[in-house]
Amino acid sequence: MSEAIKPTDTKRWVSNPEIKEGAEYLTACIDWIQITVKSQTPEQICENLLQIPFDLMIEDEGTGIFGASAFLCFDKIRLLVTRNKGEVAFYQILLAGQACRQFELFLKNQKRSWFDFIRDCINDNVHFTRIDLAIDDRKTYFKINDLLDLAQNGLCQTRLNIGKKHGSFHFSDGESRGDTVDFGSRQSEFFMTFYEKNYERANKYDTDVEQFGAWNRYELKFRQNQALQVASALALKKDVMSVVLPILNDKIRFLEKRTDEKKERCPTWKPWAEFMKDVDKIRLGVEPAKKDYPSFYSWLQNAVAPSLWIAEQLREDFGEDIIQTVIDNAKITKKHQQMLAKYKQEYQLATGKLKEKMG
């Protein structure tokens, strides 16, 4: 096979979370922030709150959420708009998942922390619609399915009312492709989701779960009033675990066995006790991930590369550059132009040119 068209190895694009010797097993991050802004223009939101140059934003061709429409974006950093009878009612900053990691690049260049950003938003009288705090456990103190078994056997002391299990498996052999358990209702202002992050990544990128090592994720999701309270506490204390630990202690505990009718008198399940002891040591991580293209390269490798190989063999045998001919005759739509604009943004992030533009 020609080296020029050898399929790209997605492993170098997918972040490998395996623990290095001496590294911490537990880390925490902000994984979702959604903020409603009613008294500022898009330019003011970008320049004052996000501190992203407004001319870097492009039209967002994505879908809206919960009645808000797509408006502007910098790759995955999004500004949505909600209209009432055609008139702008308010805007929403949406930093979901990978967008938080991208925004951390800006925070680093701005010499700000998440706590600074949240404080600046509070000072501008915005409304926090949702905040998700995530704990990544790469030791895996317990299996997600073990928590479900304990809960279903009455060995869970909790202030939450309901739980729900999700999961996937292979039809061929019934092998699990990851377990997920919700604690609380997704319609409430607070609930938690515990899941096997390694399987979630492997499913997303269509690769082997072994590539990601042991990896559970525990997400605490706050909405509306709960989100505002958490935002205020984070801005005040500047320490995520001093906020999260009391919530975990208050909301849920798993029991070793029932030794008393009152669950609060029963001993704590040892893996949970060890986890809670170590959770107290976590500090909020701000480790901006370099922009990569795992899904793009996975698609190239799995769907496109074999066809490129055939085209290259034809070129070598007959001298006709079929690939260039196809490119020359490609039908480029507005969607493709938007994709190109996003990839240019990503290259700015990856090469440091963005920092030069920001001065």
Side-chain angles (χ1 to χ4, degrees), residues 30 115 118 131 133 230-240 243:
I30 291 177
F115 307 115
I118 292 171
I131 294 180
L133 302 177
V230 167
S232 300
L234 289 172
L236 177 65
K237 298 182 178 182
K238 298 184 178 181
D239 176 14
V240 68
V243 176

Side-chain angles (χ1 to χ4, degrees), residues 7 9 20 32 41 52-53 66 81 121 128 151 165-167 180 199 202 207 244 251 261 296 305 308-309 327 339 347:
D9 182 5
K20 297 179 181 179
W32 186 299
T41 66
I52 296 176
F66 308 122
V81 62
C121 290
F128 285 84
K165 179 184 178 181
H166 317 263
T180 298
Y199 277 103
T207 189
V244 169
K251 296 294 185 180
E261 288 186 1
F296 176 64
L308 293 178
W309 177 82
I327 292 173
M339 290 173 63
Y347 273 109

Side-chain angles (χ1 to χ4, degrees), residues 4-15:
I5 61 167
K6 185 177 180 180
T8 303
D9 182 5
T10 57
K11 290 183 179 180
R12 75 185 186 93
W13 288 109
V14 180
S15 299

